[in-house]
Amino acid sequence: MQLGATHMEGGRCEFLVWAPACREVSLHQVSPRERVLPMEPQGNGYWRIIGEEVPPGSRYFYHLDGERDRPDPVSNYQPQGVHGPSQVIDHRHFAWSDHGWRGCALADLVIYELHVGTFTPAGTFDAVIERLPGLRDLGITAIELMPVAQFPGERNWGYDGVQPFAVQHSYGGPEGLKRLVDACHQLGLAVVLDVVYNHLGPEGNYLWDFGPYFTDHYRTPWGEAINFDGPHSDEVRRYFLQNALHWFKNYHIDALRLDAVHAIYDFSAKTFLQEMAEQTREFSLGNQRSCLLIAESDLNDPRIIRPAELGGYGLDAQWSDDFHHALHALITGEDLGYYGDFGSTGDLVKSYREGFVYSWRYSAFRKCRHGASAADRPAQQFVVCSQNHDQVGNRMRGERLIAQAGFEAAKLAAAAVILSPFIPLLFMGEEYGEDNPFPYFVSFEDEDLIAGVRRGRKEEFEDFHSQGEPPDPQSPETFAAARLDWSKRDKPGYRAMAAFYRELLRLRRENPVLTRRDKEHLEGWGLEDEKLLWL
Amino acid sequence: MQLGATHMEGGRCEFLVWAPACREVSLHQVSPRERVLPMEPQGNGYWRIIGEEVPPGSRYFYHLDGERDRPDPVSNYQPQGVHGPSQVIDHRHFAWSDHGWRGCALADLVIYELHVGTFTPAGTFDAVIERLPGLRDLGITAIELMPVAQFPGERNWGYDGVQPFAVQHSYGGPEGLKRLVDACHQLGLAVVLDVVYNHLGPEGNYLWDFGPYFTDHYRTPWGEAINFDGPHSDEVRRYFLQNALHWFKNYHIDALRLDAVHAIYDFSAKTFLQEMAEQTREFSLGNQRSCLLIAESDLNDPRIIRPAELGGYGLDAQWSDDFHHALHALITGEDLGYYGDFGSTGDLVKSYREGFVYSWRYSAFRKCRHGASAADRPAQQFVVCSQNHDQVGNRMRGERLIAQAGFEAAKLAAAAVILSPFIPLLFMGEEYGEDNPFPYFVSFEDEDLIAGVRRGRKEEFEDFHSQGEPPDPQSPETFAAARLDWSKRDKPGYRAMAAFYRELLRLRRENPVLTRRDKEHLEGWGLEDEKLLWL
């Protein structure tokens, strides 16, 4: 059962929507000609119609209960933003040139995280393409796109997306993303896409009008939790499972980075994550292409990446925030917020040996014991970094490690990440020592919401950073400040840093010691007083 | 660190309480002499004092912030009920005579569930003792006591308990329970105790005044969820873990039946259940005595009873409600509420073969897929019944199976349970065909609460049973109606039923086919039209 608008032969198009909250659903076609066509109930809350003369590019709303127009929850494109009509996309149309592409093995990943809007001055998918050869030459094997699902306005990290199937119009929409992925594959680069299955953004979320996508049974820090285990959760799961496959199938994405899976509350005997891993594996086998799932998780729970036979959910890898925190606290000496839980060389040694530092140890920040040992999991199941969008951007001013700790410290951090047995992740710009900040930015329309975000941002830093005020998230200047400055690459210090990163990545690829990436053959110990660590 | 009042040599007594919500805590000794002694903060929210001249039997409150007297959260005895003072108990005092007792193996359990207040006319532990020889002769190997933790008033099923360490005063308090357990062990009977770790009752719950025992992160149907994974949850867990060991150690209890573990919300990498299983196993080994954990769970999740090596929580067994529902729906033809999910012989066959009927199958009652296959778990990990306090008592009028389906049907149900490879559980009175109901009853003091319970009870049955009104839960007559009528045993029909049960249990024990209790050697198939089932 294919949700959304599926283009058929003969200019016809099938529309299928799950809207159990509605008594009546119509297709309101807006272009190329305007008309309203009543849809047929299919049982179980589904509504369907096959429209004649609905060519690709047609725009439409669903008209609910004869009262209100709403964009399609499964919209593939919102050319006028989150509140506007949806547009029919024919995914068979794009001329892919990556036929021989089989994906990237987990062990070969070297990830480069980038934000499409600020990576280049133009802020589009096409502008990213121009930079790909440079990334390949650097030694990167995969780019990771911060979320590109349609969000309100034109400036957003991406975690306020409200149309999970649509590709942000201001980045270049569906065609733009396809061109980027195709170009990556031609250069031998994989594409990881960040997707958010734990909440929807606060503006333009119309799912409430369609059905019980949300539950009040659990609370998330970002609003209503998604209904993954309550009544009607089968259909909610189907929606998000189809979303995962949508990216693999229609956009040739190689891996999904699942945002904050700890906020996917789910006590089912078969969890949503387990089901997604099964379906991804099936798709992967059926298409003879490696499709991977990488979780961001705050739980330090190795169940997430253990195979089903060992009671796990079977995801391929997960981020190790502990590695970052141990490294960051050691290098910077910071001890505010969660960094207070780290700071010894022993912590970093433990992370190198096991993956997690907190394996059921008391965390003063969390005020309880935290995590379980991941010593049984191979190194390639952990993604590590010295910087990422969160660790940089969640600082009040969004300053990068190099701005905070200096050139030599940044080099040390890079070596600690890249020469590790784990999957390294770089955050755009760190490879040439970009010292622009990466602050938090949004572009909402709702004034109350804007005021709320400003207030929330200030409150957030009351206990973390004591001085000054955070930059205004709504301001275009804050967004502009986050943009990479590509002219720096040609300047001496930055050029030296880029050469250093290139050499580190070459060593990782070629040095026989470093290509043997298992934790078992890694010895590590540290001296606390001297802050020295041998590996 | 022993929580509560621990009697020491020389008439001294150590008091330790976790009260991080308080600025100041004193011991308010009420008897044998009245005085107020300030307690010392110990860090981490603990307060302590060693009181001189505090003999066992002394009564006390904790006096919080110079403002209010509260019973001890770890009170072992509340002689005047939930709102009154706590009493110091010296557990070394009781003269146990069960030194050779090593517990009961899981596979040998035949459980008899009883409610102390209505099992006998007196409604006390001592009155139960008189009936034990009869139960042993019947072929029972363990009694299971519905919760005996202190609850408000004198009439309650036990799930409204608010002092989890105290033994209900109206049943005979700590000494009474010890006498009962000791008598059981002398007769070779084990004792299973029902404990509630998912919520506290609505009246007399003073834990709020002491610290963050609860969380608003999750919702339970019965009020605030207990904080098993949030800030300060280590101390909350310590409280309930110490509670589990309290029963094993101080009362020689053989197994705990954990009420509704699906409402123990816990996303920790090491779950509370896992930790309890570890500590119980350790206690069991250290004391060379079998101590078991049996979960009631609505999740159909075999993780609960899988060993840790397979990613499980390591509990010993769990109830299979599916078995009951499949059997009940087949015998009675009922299809209201959750019985609508059952009714075919195939369901019962599946339960015999696997344990759960719903193993990721769509449940119309739940409106989503439910459960996972438990086919890998041995039969002895499932407790099954044709009746229990919930399945009888949660009916509007609390009518038993025999009152509903008749004598022959009750015999058939008994055979289906007792001749199964699972652990059979009988509900008090069913062994002689008791036809009194077992309705829901309470005895709260708070008028608003009483009105709320009456209203809630009516609302509950709006979609389950359509006709009539439920009996008033607060009325003493409702309680009296639930009492067993022992005089029936000597009457013909009842006597025949008792003989039938005795014979079934003898067959289970002695027949070589029935003593080989594994699902693998059990063949089952059914004919739907004839409602026939072969095993």
Side-chain angles (χ1 to χ4, degrees):
Chain A
M1 221 166 37
Q2 188 63 39
L3 296 168
T6 307
H7 189 67
M8 302 164 76
E9 299 304 319
R12 295 185 310 157
C13 186
E14 178 180 7
F15 293 84
L16 184 69
V17 63
W18 185 58
C22 302
R23 297 180 313 280
E24 201 183 301
V25 181
S26 302
L27 177 71
H28 176 188
Q29 189 178 341
V30 177
S31 80
R33 60 173 174 142
E34 179 148 16
R35 54 182 177 166
V36 175
L37 303 168
M39 297 175 76
E40 289 289 328
Q42 304 293 302
N44 210 6
Y46 285 93
W47 299 78
R48 179 171 174 266
I49 190 174
I50 294 181
E52 308 282 340
E53 295 174 57
V54 187
S58 300
R59 297 185 183 181
Y60 65 102
F61 287 108
Y62 289 125
H63 192 66
L64 309 184
D65 291 333
E67 281 171 3
R68 49 199 183 284
D69 278 339
R70 291 291 181 251
D72 185 352
V74 190
S75 169
N76 278 214
Y77 189 31
Q78 291 291 116
Q80 297 165 41
V82 299
H83 306 291
S86 305
Q87 180 168 317
V88 175
I89 297 294
D90 180 5
H91 289 292
R92 295 168 309 178
H93 160 80
F94 187 82
W96 288 96
S97 58
D98 65 350
H99 305 293
W101 180 255
R102 291 284 160 263
C104 180
L106 192 59
D108 295 331
L109 285 176
V110 176
I111 301 174
Y112 184 89
E113 185 187 33
L114 69 86
H115 177 261
V116 175
T118 53
F119 182 59
T120 62
T124 62
F125 295 121
D126 285 335
V128 176
I129 294 177
E130 299 166 31
R131 304 293 176 176
L132 293 177
L135 294 180
R136 186 205 42 194
D137 296 346
L138 177 68
I140 292 300
T141 65
I143 61 167
E144 174 167 321
L145 305 175
M146 286 173 66
V148 303
Q150 186 71 37
F151 53 75
E154 309 202 337
R155 308 181 304 274
N156 198 288
W157 281 14
Y159 302 96
D160 296 314
V162 288
Q163 272 114 5
F165 289 79
V167 177
Q168 177 66 12
H169 71 299
S170 58
Y171 289 172
E175 293 286 302
L177 178 58
K178 286 175 189 173
R179 284 193 297 270
L180 171 57
V181 176
D182 201 43
C184 283
H185 290 174
Q186 286 184 48
L187 289 171
L189 295 171
V191 182
V192 185
L193 180 66
D194 195 342
V195 291
V196 184
Y197 295 154
N198 54 63
H199 76 287
L200 260 76
E203 180 175 324
N205 170 9
Y206 294 113
L207 293 189
W208 284 103
D209 292 325
F210 288 87
Y213 283 88
F214 302 96
T215 173
D216 59 1
H217 206 79
Y218 313 115
R219 281 200 190 181
T220 86
W222 313 287
E224 296 78 15
I226 291 173
N227 172 24
F228 284 113
D229 66 1
H232 308 290
S233 54
D234 288 5
E235 310 311 325
V236 178
R237 284 180 174 223
R238 185 195 305 271
Y239 177 81
F240 286 104
L241 292 169
Q242 218 162 95
N243 185 270
L245 298 178
H246 167 69
W247 299 116
F248 291 133
K249 189 176 152 204
N250 297 326
Y251 290 90
H252 295 202
I253 294 292
D254 298 292
L256 297 178
R257 179 262 191 195
L258 308 172
D259 183 61
V261 301
H262 49 273
I264 294 178
Y265 295 109
D266 179 6
F267 281 108
S268 308
K270 179 183 274 194
T271 63
F272 168 67
L273 292 179
Q274 222 174 321
E275 215 180 346
M276 187 164 32
E278 284 176 12
Q279 296 199 7
T280 300
R281 193 149 302 133
E282 199 178 306
F283 180 88
S284 208
L285 288 171
N287 291 271
Q288 297 181 300
R289 180 152 77 78
S290 161
C291 296
L292 303 171
L293 296 176
I294 303 173
E296 181 207 16
S297 165
D298 188 39
L299 297 172
N300 278 16
D301 188 347
R303 276 189 198 95
I304 291 167
I305 50 171
R306 284 207 185 107
E309 312 85 78
L310 297 178
Y313 304 157
L315 270 56
D316 297 287
Q318 73 161 78
W319 288 27
S320 170
D321 280 356
D322 279 10
F323 179 92
H324 170 272
H325 300 343
L327 179 61
H328 183 94
L330 202 57
I331 283 182
T332 64
E334 276 200 284
D335 61 0
L336 285 166
Y338 46 70
Y339 292 128
D341 275 353
F342 298 87
S344 76
T345 56
D347 288 341
L348 190 56
V349 170
K350 182 160 186 209
S351 184
Y352 274 114
R353 289 191 155 170
E354 298 195 4
F356 301 143
V357 176
Y358 278 76
S359 52
W360 207 234
R361 180 169 114 183
Y362 183 78
S363 151
F365 175 72
R366 293 164 192 275
K367 299 189 174 69
C368 60
R369 286 164 299 170
H370 176 59
S373 173
D376 65 317
R377 297 290 90 211
Q380 64 179 34
Q381 288 202 288
F382 299 91
V383 176
V384 302
C385 69
S386 70
Q387 306 172 63
N388 64 37
H389 75 275
D390 259 330
Q391 301 307 336
V392 170
N394 284 338
R395 303 181 69 81
M396 190 176 75
R397 292 198 182 77
E399 64 270 42
R400 291 163 176 270
L401 184 64
I402 198 165
Q404 197 192 350
F407 189 82
E408 294 303 326
K411 280 168 66 182
L412 183 63
V417 168
I418 294 172
L419 305 183
S420 81
F422 306 114
I423 299 173
L425 177 139
L426 314 184
F427 181 56
M428 61 174 196
E430 72 162 88
E431 77 281 12
Y432 64 86
E434 175 62 79
D435 39 16
N436 279 357
F438 188 74
Y440 180 72
F441 48 80
V442 297
S443 53
F444 293 128
E445 283 178 27
D446 185 291
E447 288 301 328
D448 287 346
L449 179 58
I450 294 167
V453 169
R454 284 183 178 135
R455 197 171 48 241
R457 203 69 193 161
K458 283 188 197 174
E459 283 168 10
E460 188 176 339
F461 293 109
E462 271 166 14
D463 30 309
F464 207 99
H465 296 263
S466 43
Q467 306 115 326
E469 294 243 324
D472 176 8
Q474 180 75 11
S475 153
E477 285 75 49
T478 305
F479 173 76
R483 210 175 271 141
L484 295 191
D485 179 355
W486 289 85
S487 70
K488 287 176 183 163
R489 285 193 191 231
D490 301 324
K491 295 176 188 163
Y494 301 102
R495 205 163 51 202
M497 184 64 95
F500 181 71
Y501 266 80
R502 201 175 302 116
E503 182 61 16
L504 286 175
L505 286 165
R506 192 190 61 77
L507 279 172
R508 179 180 171 91
R509 260 193 327 272
E510 297 176 5
N511 185 301
V513 173
L514 297 173
T515 52
R516 183 163 183 176
R517 298 189 198 115
D518 51 70
K519 295 184 294 183
E520 291 69 31
H521 290 88
L522 186 140
E523 291 280 336
W525 65 101
L527 287 180
E528 292 301 342
D529 291 342
E530 292 82 1
K531 282 199 174 187
L532 271 174
L533 185 144
W534 287 265
L535 289 170
Chain B
M1 221 165 41
Q2 187 63 40
L3 296 166
T6 308
H7 189 64
M8 302 162 78
E9 299 303 321
R12 296 185 310 155
C13 186
E14 177 180 8
F15 294 84
L16 183 69
V17 63
W18 184 59
C22 302
R23 298 179 313 279
E24 201 184 301
V25 181
S26 302
L27 177 72
H28 176 188
Q29 189 179 342
V30 177
S31 80
R33 60 174 175 140
E34 180 148 15
R35 54 182 176 164
V36 175
L37 302 169
M39 296 175 76
E40 289 288 329
Q42 304 292 302
N44 211 6
Y46 285 93
W47 301 78
R48 179 170 174 265
I49 191 173
I50 294 182
E52 308 282 340
E53 295 174 60
V54 187
S58 300
R59 297 186 182 181
Y60 65 102
F61 286 108
Y62 289 125
H63 192 66
L64 308 184
D65 291 333
E67 281 170 2
R68 48 199 185 285
D69 277 339
R70 291 291 180 253
D72 185 354
V74 190
S75 169
N76 278 213
Y77 189 31
Q78 293 289 119
Q80 297 165 42
V82 298
H83 305 291
S86 305
Q87 180 166 317
V88 174
I89 297 294
D90 180 5
H91 288 294
R92 296 167 309 180
H93 159 83
F94 188 82
W96 288 97
S97 56
D98 65 351
H99 305 292
W101 179 253
R102 292 283 159 263
C104 180
L106 192 60
D108 294 331
L109 285 175
V110 176
I111 301 174
Y112 185 88
E113 184 187 33
L114 68 86
H115 177 262
V116 174
T118 53
F119 182 60
T120 61
T124 62
F125 296 121
D126 285 336
V128 177
I129 294 176
E130 298 165 33
R131 304 293 176 175
L132 294 176
L135 294 180
R136 186 205 42 194
D137 295 347
L138 177 67
I140 292 299
T141 64
I143 61 168
E144 174 167 320
L145 305 175
M146 286 173 67
V148 303
Q150 187 71 36
F151 53 73
E154 310 203 335
R155 307 181 304 276
N156 197 290
W157 279 15
Y159 302 95
D160 296 313
V162 287
Q163 272 115 4
F165 289 79
V167 177
Q168 176 66 14
H169 71 298
S170 58
Y171 289 173
E175 293 287 302
L177 178 57
K178 287 175 187 172
R179 284 192 298 270
L180 171 57
V181 176
D182 201 44
C184 283
H185 289 174
Q186 286 183 51
L187 288 171
L189 295 171
V191 182
V192 184
L193 180 65
D194 195 342
V195 290
V196 184
Y197 295 153
N198 54 64
H199 75 287
L200 259 77
E203 180 175 324
N205 171 9
Y206 293 113
L207 292 189
W208 284 104
D209 292 325
F210 287 88
Y213 282 90
F214 302 96
T215 173
D216 59 1
H217 206 79
Y218 312 116
R219 281 200 190 180
T220 86
W222 313 288
E224 296 78 14
I226 291 173
N227 172 24
F228 284 114
D229 66 1
H232 307 290
S233 54
D234 288 4
E235 309 312 324
V236 178
R237 284 180 175 223
R238 186 196 304 272
Y239 177 81
F240 287 104
L241 291 170
Q242 216 161 99
N243 185 270
L245 297 179
H246 166 71
W247 299 116
F248 290 133
K249 188 177 152 202
N250 296 327
Y251 290 92
H252 295 201
I253 293 293
D254 298 293
L256 297 177
R257 180 263 190 194
L258 308 173
D259 182 60
V261 299
H262 49 275
I264 295 178
Y265 296 109
D266 179 6
F267 280 108
S268 308
K270 179 182 272 193
T271 63
F272 168 67
L273 292 179
Q274 223 174 318
E275 214 181 345
M276 185 161 38
E278 285 177 10
Q279 295 199 7
T280 300
R281 192 148 303 132
E282 198 178 307
F283 180 88
S284 210
L285 288 171
N287 291 271
Q288 296 183 301
R289 180 152 79 76
S290 161
C291 296
L292 304 170
L293 296 177
I294 303 172
E296 180 206 18
S297 166
D298 188 38
L299 298 172
N300 279 18
D301 188 347
R303 279 188 197 95
I304 291 167
I305 50 172
R306 284 208 185 106
E309 312 85 78
L310 297 178
Y313 304 156
L315 270 59
D316 298 288
Q318 73 161 77
W319 288 28
S320 170
D321 279 355
D322 278 11
F323 180 93
H324 170 271
H325 300 342
L327 179 62
H328 182 94
L330 202 58
I331 284 182
T332 63
E334 275 199 284
D335 61 0
L336 285 167
Y338 46 70
Y339 293 129
D341 276 351
F342 298 87
S344 77
T345 56
D347 288 340
L348 191 57
V349 169
K350 182 161 185 208
S351 184
Y352 274 115
R353 290 192 154 172
E354 298 195 5
F356 300 142
V357 176
Y358 279 76
S359 51
W360 208 234
R361 180 169 114 184
Y362 183 79
S363 151
F365 175 71
R366 295 165 192 274
K367 301 190 174 67
C368 60
R369 286 165 299 171
H370 177 58
S373 172
D376 64 317
R377 298 290 90 211
Q380 64 179 34
Q381 289 202 286
F382 300 91
V383 176
V384 302
C385 68
S386 69
Q387 304 172 65
N388 64 38
H389 74 274
D390 259 331
Q391 301 307 335
V392 171
N394 284 338
R395 302 181 69 81
M396 190 177 75
R397 293 198 181 76
E399 64 269 43
R400 291 161 175 270
L401 183 66
I402 199 166
Q404 195 192 354
F407 188 82
E408 293 303 327
K411 280 169 66 182
L412 182 61
V417 167
I418 294 172
L419 305 182
S420 82
F422 306 113
I423 299 173
L425 176 139
L426 315 183
F427 182 55
M428 62 175 197
E430 73 164 87
E431 77 281 12
Y432 64 84
E434 175 62 78
D435 39 18
N436 279 358
F438 187 74
Y440 179 73
F441 47 80
V442 296
S443 54
F444 293 127
E445 284 178 25
D446 184 290
E447 287 301 330
D448 286 347
L449 179 60
I450 295 167
V453 169
R454 283 180 178 139
R455 199 172 47 240
R457 202 71 192 159
K458 281 187 195 173
E459 284 167 10
E460 187 176 339
F461 292 108
E462 270 165 14
D463 26 307
F464 207 100
H465 294 263
S466 44
Q467 305 115 328
E469 294 244 326
D472 176 8
Q474 180 74 13
S475 151
E477 285 76 47
T478 305
F479 173 78
R483 208 175 273 142
L484 295 191
D485 179 354
W486 289 87
S487 70
K488 288 175 181 164
R489 287 192 190 233
D490 302 322
K491 296 175 186 164
Y494 301 101
R495 202 160 54 200
M497 184 63 93
F500 181 71
Y501 266 81
R502 201 175 301 113
E503 183 60 14
L504 285 175
L505 286 166
R506 192 190 61 76
L507 279 172
R508 179 181 171 90
R509 259 192 329 270
E510 297 176 4
N511 186 302
V513 172
L514 298 173
T515 53
R516 183 164 183 175
R517 295 186 200 120
D518 51 72
K519 294 184 295 183
E520 292 67 30
H521 290 88
L522 185 141
E523 291 279 337
W525 63 99
L527 288 179
E528 292 300 342
D529 291 344
E530 292 81 2
K531 281 198 175 189
L532 269 174
L533 185 144
W534 288 266
L535 289 170

